[in-house]
């Protein structure tokens, strides 16, 4: 019971962090059709800016200032980098964001160095939230979950209960009609792109001290968030939420299970000898294969449901 409960909580908290990352990418794609390969780089920038701001004035100001700075940078990238490329199609946009991701990594290494930085969890959030079965669940994990759920609720309220959200949805399906009604659609796209980058920056502020803040952190999560977006369904925020939780729980449970096909066969009394073909494969444990499980899920979804769990585009 202890293993099931705490592994589930850790999986949900990791999944919600993935959702904080993938939600911005989903919004950008659903609005603009742009697959932003530099999205994880904005996550990394959020972590590094939060580290710098926290060292000067504390974590709580960094929680607000770092995502705002990343969002503003994202808006500038869209205005002066992506907007001139829109008329040439999606391939130049993709190549631009791909090159931008490498540029950001190099800039981060020039400014903050190649080694990991000491970005600690704030003292008021460092400790157990509760203890059950002699195992403690950290306050900071609970804080991550709370911020992610608050962000989900905020996005839903903005998109469904505000005039700005109605304009965004109108521009998504009928951009010409929205522009004819006097709305500046290119400027709207700019702020949506900036908002998506700000969400990635917020994930960096929260995830940077929960894990490790280093130049490789963008590459670590970059491929996973694309898996989340595709599995959930291209452009579907609800699908991204569901896929994030599914992948987070799947990976967390897999890492904790040190079993293999060989151990199962031994339990059944049918274990093959070391000379048996494929014996090395049988020895691979679930924990060792945890890193490839999201990509296996991606392949299965693309085969059996190409539009994703809750998507409408194939």
């Amino acid at each position: 019971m202890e293993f099931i409960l705490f592994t589930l909580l850790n999986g949900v908290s990791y999944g919600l962090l993935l959702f904080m990352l993938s939600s911005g990418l989903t919004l950008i794609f659903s609005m603009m059709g742009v697959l932003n390969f530099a999205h994880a780089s904005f996550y990394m920038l959020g972590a590094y800016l939060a580290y710098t701001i926290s060292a000067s004035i504390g974590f709580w100001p960094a929680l607000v200032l770092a995502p705002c700075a990343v969002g503003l940078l994202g808006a500038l990238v869209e205005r002066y980098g992506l907007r001139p490329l829109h008329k040439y199609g999606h391939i130049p946009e993709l190549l631009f964001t791909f090159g931008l991701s490498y540029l950001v990594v190099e800039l981060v290494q020039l400014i903050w160095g190649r080694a990991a930085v000491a970005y600690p969890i704030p003292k008021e959030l460092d400790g157990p939230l509760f203890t059950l079965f002699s195992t403690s669940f950290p306050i900071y994990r609970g804080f991550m979950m709370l911020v992610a759920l608050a962000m989900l609720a905020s996005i839903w309220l903005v998109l469904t209960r505000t005039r700005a959200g109605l304009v965004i949805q109108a521009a998504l399906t009928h951009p010409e009609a929205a522009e004819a009604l006097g709305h500046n659609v290119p400027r709207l796209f700019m702020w949506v792109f900036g908002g998506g980058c700000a969400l990635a920056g917020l994930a960096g502020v929260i995830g940077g001290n929960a894990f490790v803040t280093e130049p490789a952190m963008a590459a670590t999560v970059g491929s996973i968030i694309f898996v989340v977006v595709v599995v959930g369904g291209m452009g579907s925020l609800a699908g991204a939420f569901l896929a994030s939780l599914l992948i987070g729980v799947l990976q967390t449970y897999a890492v904790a299970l040190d079993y293999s096909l060989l151990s199962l066969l031994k339990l059944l009394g049918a274990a093959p000898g070391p000379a048996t073909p494929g014996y090395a494969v049988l020895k691979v444990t679930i924990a060792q294969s945890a890193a490839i499980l999201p990509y296996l899920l991606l392949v299965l979804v693309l085969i059996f449901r190409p539009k994703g769990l809750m998507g409408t585009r194939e």
Side-chain angles (χ1 to χ4, degrees):
M1 183 65 183
E2 178 183 0
F3 167 77
I4 294 173
L5 176 61
F6 282 94
T7 305
L8 178 63
L9 286 173
N10 287 325
V12 169
S13 65
Y14 176 56
L16 287 173
L17 178 67
L18 289 179
F19 172 70
M20 292 174 70
L21 260 169
S22 61
S23 59
L25 185 60
T26 300
L27 283 175
I28 291 170
F29 179 79
S30 64
M31 276 292 295
M32 306 169 63
V34 175
L35 274 176
N36 181 14
F37 266 76
H39 195 72
S41 300
F42 290 103
Y43 161 76
M44 178 172 63
L45 282 176
Y48 273 98
L49 288 174
Y51 156 72
T52 302
I53 297 170
S54 295
S56 301
I57 56 177
F59 173 77
W60 299 108
L63 185 62
V64 177
L65 295 176
C68 290
V70 173
L72 181 59
L73 179 62
L76 292 174
V77 165
E78 196 284 332
R79 173 63 183 85
Y80 297 104
L82 281 173
R83 190 179 299 182
L85 298 176
H86 290 331
K87 59 186 175 184
Y88 298 113
H90 295 310
I91 299 300
E93 294 171 344
L94 188 148
L95 292 174
F96 172 82
T97 60
F98 185 74
L100 181 63
S101 66
Y102 283 94
L103 178 62
V104 171
V105 170
E106 293 300 325
L107 287 174
V108 163
Q109 291 177 345
L110 283 173
I111 297 171
W112 287 283
R114 296 179 181 273
V117 297
Y119 175 30
I121 293 173
K123 291 181 180 179
E124 54 268 38
L125 296 176
D126 190 11
L129 178 62
F130 63 87
T131 301
L132 196 63
F133 305 114
S134 72
T135 303
S136 297
F137 186 73
I139 295 177
Y140 198 74
R141 287 269 180 173
F143 176 70
M144 287 171 57
M145 296 166 72
L146 180 64
V147 171
L149 292 174
M151 188 197 72
L152 172 63
S154 300
I155 294 173
W156 180 79
L157 288 172
V158 168
L159 291 178
T160 61
R161 294 292 185 270
T162 66
R163 186 173 182 274
L166 294 176
V167 173
I168 289 173
Q169 293 187 63
L172 169 62
T173 54
H174 301 88
E176 295 85 1
E179 202 155 19
L181 290 171
H183 300 293
N184 190 329
V185 174
R187 186 171 62 187
L188 183 65
F189 283 177
M190 180 184 74
W191 289 116
V192 167
F193 190 90
C197 293
L199 293 178
L202 177 62
V205 177
I206 300 297
N209 48 14
F211 299 101
V212 181
T213 300
E214 60 175 347
M217 64 189 298
T220 302
V221 299
S223 56
I224 293 292
I225 59 174
F226 279 96
V227 172
V228 169
V229 170
V230 175
V231 169
M234 301 295 279
S236 172
L237 202 60
F241 180 72
L242 180 61
S244 297
L245 292 180
L246 178 62
I247 290 172
V249 172
L250 177 68
Q251 272 201 300
T252 306
Y253 269 108
V255 167
L257 294 174
D258 195 23
Y259 299 102
S260 65
L261 285 174
L262 183 62
S263 62
L264 177 62
L265 291 173
K266 284 181 178 179
L267 188 65
L268 297 174
T276 305
Y279 183 79
V281 176
L282 295 176
K283 290 174 62 179
V284 175
T285 64
I286 298 175
Q288 290 173 325
S289 62
I292 67 170
L293 291 181
Y295 305 100
L296 177 61
L297 178 63
L298 171 66
V299 170
L300 293 175
V301 167
L302 289 175
I303 292 172
F304 296 106
R305 191 176 172 83
K307 64 181 180 180
L309 297 177
M310 301 183 70
T312 56
R313 305 185 187 189
E314 298 197 9

